[in-house]
């Protein structure tokens, strides 16, 4: 189940869009190495052609533009609903139409010059005759910027259809049905087999179809071409519908692997068939090729998007930078790539040296141009909506774009801000509900003890805060962000149960490694001192006793100066002195403003350290409050005395909840201490050494969990 | 006001040099662990060179003198073993152990860079491959039991080192499929049949040629022979072998990722 916030999902989709565009650069960089291409189709025919690059280019060409249009459809609807119709068109005009026109004016002469130079070189110094544009209406050399033109046409068509549907379906019944169909078809893998059918129909109708070209590129005409309009239009509309339907993204995320497997199988078949016969002949093979092409295309589109949602949902400054840069890079790449291809075309080197050279040199030039000429200037603002400083020191990485629904932070009665929170969280494992609509918050500078019997859900709650699991419903936050984000986790320290550190490393080495994960860690010597492990600093972890291992793990947990520390049974196996020392460290961490979440079976530990206690049982919070409040929750008090009375008789008295005899003394838990004492004294004249005391956390815990059971 | 409080709580982006530092620490610790694990380091680092010495100096010494191509064949076989075993066994065994002891879970909770442990394992797998292979190359050059120019051996070395990457992926797959101390056994199950059935150690009869390309070792050997320009042992175009090794790497990695995503 996917519960990434919308912002996290956008990080993944941004990454996919950037990938599709950068893949285009790699695709074009391969085109001078195509075996058997006659001069003139591309700027250069390299003297070391490559079947491998031809196949690789075919594979990327199957899906890269459809992937782009799919994501464009998703973001298109998002933008349309965010901005409204007029602001949407203003935005698209600025981001799409202006780059199309300005880009074409600048790039077309450059591209033309490089093409003529390259073809002249291929023809051994003879200048080629200028190719004439086909004399058909609308003919126009759009170059690689055709996709912007196609995108604008698609916006017009889709918004026109949208307004018609909005009139025909005012109650949204039809659209709700479509939403269900969309998510259901993704989950059941029906989508991957059916979405390509309209495109297959358009491809089958082509009289002249060179399999390698896939969807014929509509770069020669302003009149919309049928296969491209059908293929990219389907991708755009499906992206739009995926944004409509709430469940679809999580379905895509869940099925990433299956989609990629289908894509690989279908692509393998296409390659095999294409090698046998590169040009489509009417007949069964052409029909099959067109249909399988659709499966491969949608397998890659849905598989890659799903994999990105699964693995790239976290904010990453590097990925964000690349995604921002990708639009400029794709717009500007063609003269750079083609120029390099022309330059190296006759070098006496194998393609496996030249192709990487072209790729690396192109990306280096394009990223440098982006960094210095685009990102900090009006071009960057035009393309990406904002200007950055050159070195991006200040405002640059703004992880979760939208304000968190959590802010402003709720305050504790004592004024501490919330540093970690589970809100309405449900988590299931199969049929077992580990947490049921649970709300817990941790405030700045407090120690929250989480208590509960085994299997109550304590570990599940902690694992949500640590980003090890995602809630099925509700939200887990850590330091204002998602625990899945590395940036949030840089403020946490953790000591887990049942974890062994590498036995071949010394404690000092373990600390140096853990400290390297943080921005402002303590010096290793200081960590050793604070955790009281200086004496074992140079010993191998595998040679330590159980208690020493826990101490070393505690040192690892605190080395990064965490703002939230999760301690899972930290003192198990420690002797009394070591435990006292660890308690002391914990207290000084609290004094420095660190918040701590502690799970422990030693209730006296919670009693000694906790500001607040929360008791969980069967996945629900059954009580929460300060230690005193918890004790008060239980009206019961403890009476103990030396007496001849029989325990079973006393147990039957009114107000007595529990009686046990230990070492000659009778221990009675009661809600009516005064009444029971009077009756005890009356019933046994020899009664001695009478004690009455308020219930401790131990009794409170037993009482609470018994009531809940 | 509250927003300000929250802003002070949110975490600033990280300097690139600290991120690099985390990767270097990860690599250093991984290397220390391998070195300090003699059960792993000694057989993997010393066995290939010891076997190479035994076979070329003693067992087949005369045969090599009569037919130098035998020397090239054996050099290739033991070099492949040296370059690929540390990747497979080192990564497979440590990953399986780490999953068993919950270390990966801890790393996922800590703010460790996502790819840190993986990069460290690959760097160490390749690095120990170099350490294991270098003495074989040195011995071959010094003993003169190989009829190749140093430049041919150099080209071959680069290919062999690069070819440890698919075996890193195989190690990841083994480590992801099994837990704990069973990993080396399973790694052998994947590795040894390939050594024999790929024709790496002895020429295969004609009837078994069809199946040789299904073993990664065969393609490593082919690329080594292309790099050294030894036409006698070239049975397949280099591009096919590159594609096959890329395919194996993708397949093994995909199985590892699938397994670790679904089972942890």
């Amino acid at each position: 189940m996917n519960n990434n916030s919308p912002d996290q999902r956008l990080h993944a989709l941004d990454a996919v869009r950037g990938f599709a565009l950068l893949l285009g650069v790699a695709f074009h960089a391969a085109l001078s190495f195509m075996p058997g291409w006659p001069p003139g189709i591309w700027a250069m025919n390299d003297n070391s052609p490559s079947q491998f690059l031809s196949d690789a280019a075919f594979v990327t060409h199957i899906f890269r533009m459809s992937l782009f249009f799919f994501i464009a459809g998703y973001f298109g609807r998002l933008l349309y609903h965010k901005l409204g119709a007029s602001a949407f068109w203003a935005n698209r005009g600025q981001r799409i139409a202006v780059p199309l026109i300005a880009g074409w004016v600048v790039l077309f002469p450059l591209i033309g010059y490089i093409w003529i130079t390259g073809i002249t070189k291929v023809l051994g110094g003879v200048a080629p005759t200028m190719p004439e544009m086909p004399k058909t209406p609308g003919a126009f050399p759009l170059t690689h910027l055709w996709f912007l033109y196609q995108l604008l046409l698609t916006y017009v068509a889709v918004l026109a259809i949208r307004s018609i549907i909005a009139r025909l379906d005012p109650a949204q019944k039809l659209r709700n049905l479509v939403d269900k169909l969309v998510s259901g078809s993704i989950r059941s893998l029906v989508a991957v087999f059916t979405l390509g059918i309209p495109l297959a129909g358009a491809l089958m109708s082509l009289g002249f179809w060179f399999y390698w070209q896939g969807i014929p590129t509509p770069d020669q005409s302003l009149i919309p071409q049928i296969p491209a309009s059908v293929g990219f239009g389907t991708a755009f509309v499906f992206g739009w519908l995926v944004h409509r339907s709430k469940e679809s993204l999580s379905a895509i995320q869940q099925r990433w692997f299956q989609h990629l497997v289908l894509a690989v199988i279908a692509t393998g078949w296409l390659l095999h068939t294409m090698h046998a016969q590169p040009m489509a002949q009417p007949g069964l093979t052409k029909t099959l090729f067109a249909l399988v092409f659709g499966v491969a295309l949608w397998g890659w589109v849905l598989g890659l998007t799903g994999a990105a949602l699964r693995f790239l949902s976290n904010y990453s400054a590097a990925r964000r930078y690349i995604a921002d840069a990708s639009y400029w890079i794709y717009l500007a790449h063609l003269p750079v790539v083609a120029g390099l291809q022309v330059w190296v075309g006759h070098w006496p080197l194998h393609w496996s040296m030249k192709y990487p050279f072209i790729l690396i040199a192109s990306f280096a030039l394009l990223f440098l141009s982006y960094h210095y000429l685009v990102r900090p200037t009006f071009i960057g603002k035009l393309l990406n909506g904002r200007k950055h400083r050159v070195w991006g020191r200040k405002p640059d990485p703004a992880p979760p774009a939208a304000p968190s629904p959590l802010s402003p932070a709720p305050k504790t009665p004592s004024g501490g801000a919330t540093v970690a929170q589970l809100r309405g969280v449900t988590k299931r494992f199969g049929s077992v509900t580990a947490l049921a609509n649970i709300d817990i918050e941790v405030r700045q500078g407090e120690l929250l003890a989480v208590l509960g019997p085994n299997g109550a859900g304590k570990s599940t709650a902690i694992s949500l805060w640590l980003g090890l699991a995602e809630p099925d419903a509700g939200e887990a936050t850590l330091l204002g962000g998602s625990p899945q984000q590395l940036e949030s986790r840089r403020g946490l320290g953790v000591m887990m149960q049942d974890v062994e550190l590498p036995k071949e490393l010394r404690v000092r080495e373990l600390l140096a490694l853990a400290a390297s994960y943080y921005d402002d860690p303590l010096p290793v010597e200081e960590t050793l001192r604070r955790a009281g492990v200086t004496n074992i600093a140079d010993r191998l972890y595998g040679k330590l006793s159980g208690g020493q291992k826990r101490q070393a793990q505690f040192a690892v947990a605190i080395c990064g100066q965490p703002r939230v520390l999760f301690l899972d049974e930290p003192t198990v196996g420690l002797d009394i002195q070591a435990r006292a020392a660890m308690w002391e460290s914990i207290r000084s961490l609290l004094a420095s403003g660190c918040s701590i979440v502690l799970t422990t079976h030693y209730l006296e530990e919670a009693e000694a350290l906790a500001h607040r206690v929360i008791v969980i049982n069967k996945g629900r919070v059954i009580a929460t409050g300060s230690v005193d409040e918890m004790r008060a929750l239980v009206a019961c008090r403890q009476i103990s005395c030396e007496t001849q009375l029989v325990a079973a008789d006393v147990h039957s008295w009114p107000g007595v909840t529990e009686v046990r005899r230990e070492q000659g003394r009778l221990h009675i838990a009661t809600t009516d201490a005064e009444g029971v004492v009077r009756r005890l004294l009356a019933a046994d004249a020899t009664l001695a050494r009478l004690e009455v005391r308020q219930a401790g956390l131990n009794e409170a815990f037993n009482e609470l969990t018994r009531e809940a059971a | 006001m509250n927003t300000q409080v929250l802003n002070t709580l949110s975490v600033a982006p990280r300097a690139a040099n600290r991120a690099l530092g985390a990767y270097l620490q990860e690599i250093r610790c991984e290397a220390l662990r391998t070195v300090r694990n003699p059960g792993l380091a000694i057989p993997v680092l010393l066995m290939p060179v010891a076997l190479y010495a035994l076979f070329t100096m003693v067992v087949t010494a005369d045969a090599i003198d009569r037919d130098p191509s035998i020397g090239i064949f054996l050099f290739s076989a033991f070099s492949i073993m040296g370059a690929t075993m540390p990747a497979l066994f080192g990564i497979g065994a440590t990953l399986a152990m780490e999953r068993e002891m919950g270390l990966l879970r801890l790393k996922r909770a800590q703010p460790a860079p996502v790819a840190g442990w993986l990069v460290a394992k690959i760097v160490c797998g390749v690095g120990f491959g170099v350490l294991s292979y270098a003495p074989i190359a040195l011995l071959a050059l010094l003993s003169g039991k190989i009829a190749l120019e140093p430049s041919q051996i150099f080209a071959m070395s680069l290919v062999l080192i690069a070819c440890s990457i698919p075996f890193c992926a195989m190690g990841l797959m083994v480590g992801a499929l099994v837990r704990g101390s069973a990993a080396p056994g399973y790694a052998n199950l994947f590795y040894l049949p390939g050594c024999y059935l790929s024709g790496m150690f002895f020429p295969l009869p004609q009837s078994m040629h069809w199946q040789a390309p299904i073993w990664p070792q065969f393609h490593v050997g082919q690329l080594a022979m292309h790099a050294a320009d030894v036409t006698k042992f070239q049975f397949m175009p280099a591009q096919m072998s590159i594609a096959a090794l890329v395919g194996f790497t993708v397949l093994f990695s995909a199985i590892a990722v699938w397994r670790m995503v679904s089972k942890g």
Side-chain angles (χ1 to χ4, degrees):
Chain A
M1 173 84 67
N2 170 45
N3 278 284
N4 294 343
S5 71
D7 295 329
Q8 288 173 283
R9 290 167 170 180
L10 299 189
H11 292 315
L13 298 181
D14 260 340
V16 174
R17 180 173 51 184
F19 170 71
L21 289 173
L22 296 184
L23 202 57
V25 180
F27 169 75
H28 287 140
L31 293 190
S32 63
F33 300 96
M34 298 298 104
W37 276 22
I41 290 191
W42 194 248
M44 187 69 207
N45 293 66
D46 201 280
N47 59 9
S48 173
S50 162
Q51 185 59 44
F52 175 75
L53 283 182
S54 169
D55 289 349
F58 166 73
V59 175
T60 57
H61 202 46
I62 293 174
F63 66 85
R64 66 180 183 94
M65 267 301 158
S66 298
L67 183 59
F68 174 83
F69 274 88
F70 171 69
I71 302 290
Y74 185 93
F75 281 123
R77 184 172 184 276
L78 189 150
L79 202 64
Y80 185 79
H81 282 260
K82 190 171 156 190
L83 300 179
S86 54
F88 173 84
W89 280 114
N91 176 290
R92 295 295 84 186
Q94 189 190 328
R95 300 276 176 82
I96 309 292
V98 172
L100 168 64
I101 296 164
W104 191 89
V105 170
V106 176
L107 292 173
F108 184 70
L110 272 175
I111 293 171
Y113 171 75
I114 291 167
W115 246 248
I116 291 169
T117 313
I119 297 169
T120 308
K121 195 169 171 180
V122 172
L123 298 176
V126 183
T129 49
M130 284 299 287
E132 283 185 25
M133 284 305 294
K135 289 189 174 49
T136 48
F140 187 83
L142 278 164
T143 71
H144 68 296
L145 301 178
W146 65 265
F147 76 107
L148 297 176
Y149 180 70
Q150 185 80 31
L151 190 57
L152 289 173
L153 293 182
T154 312
Y155 285 137
V156 174
V158 169
L159 288 178
I161 295 168
R162 185 196 167 274
S163 66
I164 296 169
I165 291 176
R167 276 191 204 145
L168 295 177
D169 179 36
Q172 299 238 3
K173 279 187 184 162
L174 173 69
R175 280 174 281 179
N176 290 339
L177 179 69
V178 170
D179 287 349
K180 282 185 190 146
L181 275 176
V182 167
S183 59
S185 68
I186 297 168
R187 216 179 287 278
S188 60
L189 301 182
V190 169
V192 67
F193 288 103
T194 51
L195 283 169
I197 292 175
L199 171 66
L203 292 174
M204 278 187 265
S205 68
L206 285 172
F208 178 84
W209 187 29
F210 186 48
Y211 285 143
W212 186 92
Q213 70 186 139
I215 302 174
T217 307
D219 59 353
Q220 300 291 329
S221 175
L222 294 174
I223 310 276
Q225 304 296 300
I226 292 172
S229 300
V230 172
F232 302 136
T234 313
F236 185 95
V237 169
F238 197 67
W240 185 283
L241 294 178
V242 163
H243 183 258
R244 266 197 65 83
S245 147
K246 289 193 181 70
E247 296 291 314
S248 290
L249 272 195
S250 56
I252 292 175
Q253 179 179 337
Q254 278 175 359
R255 293 282 178 263
W256 69 274
F257 189 68
Q258 289 92 329
H259 282 133
L260 283 184
V261 169
L262 283 171
V264 169
I265 294 169
T267 304
W269 185 84
L270 293 176
L271 280 170
H272 176 77
T273 310
M274 187 175 75
H275 284 173
Q277 187 190 58
M279 176 64 79
Q281 306 290 336
L284 181 63
T285 310
K286 182 177 178 183
T287 310
L288 263 181
F289 198 95
L291 288 169
V292 176
F293 187 86
V295 176
L297 186 159
W298 281 100
W300 287 116
V301 169
L302 297 173
L304 290 170
T305 309
L309 288 166
R310 177 67 188 77
F311 299 107
L312 304 179
S313 284
N314 290 345
Y315 170 79
S316 144
R319 275 205 303 275
R320 178 63 181 266
Y321 183 95
I322 295 170
D324 282 350
S326 63
Y327 187 28
W328 161 258
I329 287 181
Y330 190 74
L331 292 179
H333 81 281
L334 201 56
V336 179
V337 167
L340 285 164
Q341 286 172 325
V342 171
W343 186 35
V344 308
H346 287 172
W347 289 4
L349 285 175
H350 194 247
W351 64 264
S352 62
M353 318 272 284
K354 287 198 254 185
Y355 178 70
F357 170 75
I358 292 171
L359 214 51
I360 291 167
S362 304
F363 277 128
L365 286 170
L366 291 163
F367 269 106
L368 279 174
S369 69
Y370 171 73
H371 196 82
Y372 290 102
L373 303 179
V374 175
R375 196 171 168 82
T377 66
F378 73 95
I379 309 176
K381 186 158 171 36
L382 178 81
L383 298 180
N384 297 326
R386 57 190 177 135
K387 240 194 303 196
H388 298 260
R389 294 182 182 188
V390 173
W391 291 108
R393 272 193 202 100
K394 248 279 173 82
D396 187 4
S404 159
L406 273 179
S407 56
K411 292 229 174 180
T412 62
S414 57
T418 298
V419 292
Q421 190 172 36
L422 297 181
R423 206 163 52 171
V425 162
T426 297
K427 180 72 188 170
R428 295 182 199 88
F429 296 103
S431 59
V432 179
T433 303
L435 294 176
N437 195 20
I438 207 166
D439 290 289
I440 311 178
E441 62 173 13
V442 185
R443 299 161 196 161
Q444 191 171 11
E446 76 167 354
L447 189 145
L448 175 71
V450 182
L451 308 180
N454 292 336
K458 305 186 297 281
S459 300
T460 307
I462 304 271
S463 68
L464 294 172
W465 269 323
L466 297 177
L468 294 172
E470 292 179 59
D472 293 330
E475 189 182 28
T477 56
L478 177 72
L479 294 168
S482 159
Q484 303 281 331
Q485 290 177 322
L486 204 57
E487 283 74 15
S488 307
R489 290 210 307 282
R490 268 194 202 114
L492 72 72
V494 55
M495 180 173 174
M496 296 164 97
Q497 234 187 324
D498 304 326
V499 167
E500 280 287 315
L501 301 177
K503 64 181 191 307
E504 304 88 355
L505 294 181
R506 301 182 199 286
V507 174
R508 184 187 298 283
E509 290 159 353
L510 290 168
L511 288 179
L513 174 62
S516 73
Y517 302 153
Y518 294 91
D519 288 325
D520 185 23
L522 290 171
V524 171
E525 294 303 326
E526 179 61 16
T527 311
L528 289 166
R529 193 188 63 74
R530 289 195 192 179
V533 289
T534 310
N535 56 333
I536 55 169
D538 292 310
R539 288 180 58 191
L540 293 176
Y541 181 82
K543 303 275 185 198
L544 300 179
S545 71
Q548 289 170 327
K549 284 180 176 171
R550 293 304 279 165
Q551 286 178 295
Q553 290 178 17
F554 180 71
V556 165
I558 65 169
C559 72
Q561 304 210 61
R563 280 180 252 170
V564 191
L565 183 60
F566 293 89
L567 300 175
D568 198 358
E569 301 287 352
T571 56
V572 171
L574 294 190
D575 61 29
I576 293 171
Q577 280 175 329
R579 178 179 299 183
M582 194 180 282
W583 284 12
E584 214 32 61
S585 300
I586 290 173
R587 287 197 183 101
S588 62
L589 281 165
L590 289 169
S592 68
C594 176
S595 310
I596 299 179
V597 178
L598 170 81
T599 65
T600 179
H601 276 98
Y602 300 123
L603 296 181
E604 70 273 21
E605 189 159 285
E607 211 156 1
L609 296 170
H611 297 110
R612 277 197 310 136
V613 174
I614 189 159
V615 181
I616 303 181
N617 196 18
K618 296 186 175 168
R620 294 179 188 281
V621 175
I622 54 171
T624 178
S626 68
V627 173
D628 286 340
E629 284 168 344
M630 297 291 286
R631 281 197 290 232
L633 265 181
V634 185
C636 135
R637 277 179 287 175
Q638 286 284 319
I639 302 170
S640 65
C641 56
E642 287 177 2
T643 173
Q644 307 293 324
L645 294 172
V646 178
D649 294 343
V650 177
H651 199 272
S652 63
W653 294 359
V656 173
T657 55
E658 191 182 340
V659 180
R660 64 181 199 281
R661 184 175 284 282
E662 274 174 16
Q663 296 170 343
R665 287 177 70 81
L666 203 62
H667 299 274
I668 306 161
T670 173
T671 51
D672 176 20
E674 290 78 9
V676 172
V677 167
R678 268 187 222 110
R679 196 162 168 182
L680 278 170
L681 292 170
D684 181 5
T686 64
L687 185 138
R689 298 180 63 194
L690 177 70
E691 280 176 31
V692 181
R693 64 179 178 84
Q694 184 69 41
L697 196 53
N698 214 345
E699 288 81 16
F701 176 73
N702 286 339
E703 184 81 2
L704 285 165
T705 48
R706 190 169 49 231
E707 277 172 14
Chain B
M1 179 66 188
N2 283 341
T3 314
Q4 281 173 356
V5 172
L6 200 70
N7 285 344
T8 62
L9 289 172
S10 66
V11 190
R14 192 152 204 244
N17 58 348
R18 285 218 57 83
L20 180 67
Y23 278 91
L24 292 178
Q25 274 291 347
E26 204 79 68
I27 291 168
R28 172 174 173 260
C29 287
E30 190 67 29
L32 284 172
R33 292 180 62 190
T34 314
V35 172
R36 288 180 190 158
N37 192 341
L40 194 67
I42 291 173
V44 163
L45 292 181
L46 294 184
M47 201 170 74
V49 68
L51 287 176
Y52 176 69
L54 176 72
F55 274 85
T56 53
M57 308 285 170
V58 184
V59 180
T60 62
D62 295 341
I64 291 174
D65 291 341
R66 281 196 303 277
D67 181 359
S69 68
I70 295 176
I72 297 174
F73 187 82
L74 287 177
F75 173 72
S76 160
F78 288 102
S79 299
I80 294 170
M81 200 176 165
T84 58
M85 266 178 71
L88 169 63
F89 286 86
I91 293 180
T94 56
L95 177 60
M97 205 57 91
E98 283 170 11
R99 288 175 58 240
E100 183 163 275
M101 62 195 198
L103 191 62
L104 282 190
R105 212 174 131 74
L106 177 67
K107 276 203 196 295
R108 275 173 58 206
Q110 287 176 324
V114 181
W117 67 271
L118 184 62
V119 169
K121 285 197 184 312
I122 292 173
V123 168
C124 286
V126 176
F128 280 89
V130 174
L131 284 184
S132 170
Y133 163 72
I136 301 176
L138 195 66
L139 189 63
L141 282 170
L142 293 177
S143 67
K145 291 286 180 194
I146 178 167
L148 290 177
E149 295 298 316
S151 63
Q152 287 175 299
I153 296 185
F154 180 72
M156 208 168 163
S157 307
L158 291 182
V159 164
L160 285 168
I161 291 161
C163 285
S164 55
I165 303 271
F167 291 84
C168 290
M170 192 192 259
L172 283 178
M173 181 181 72
V174 172
L177 287 175
V178 298
R179 275 175 192 262
S181 51
Y186 281 95
N188 268 318
L189 209 61
F190 280 98
Y191 190 71
L192 284 181
C195 287
Y196 299 120
L197 296 174
S198 66
M200 184 172 116
F201 282 124
F202 43 81
L204 291 174
Q206 186 77 37
S207 60
M208 290 181 74
H209 283 187
W210 62 271
Q211 56 81 51
I214 65 169
W215 306 104
Q217 287 95 327
F218 170 79
H219 299 284
V220 179
Q222 285 302 295
L223 288 183
M225 292 306 162
H226 279 282
D229 206 19
V230 180
T231 45
K232 182 172 177 182
F233 297 120
Q234 290 176 9
F235 309 116
M236 184 173 266
Q239 290 166 22
M240 290 292 286
S241 286
I242 292 174
L245 287 173
V246 170
F248 279 121
T249 310
V250 171
L251 176 72
F252 296 151
S253 310
I255 293 173
V257 168
W258 162 74
R259 175 75 179 182
M260 286 172 67
V261 166
S262 59
K263 301 277 178 189

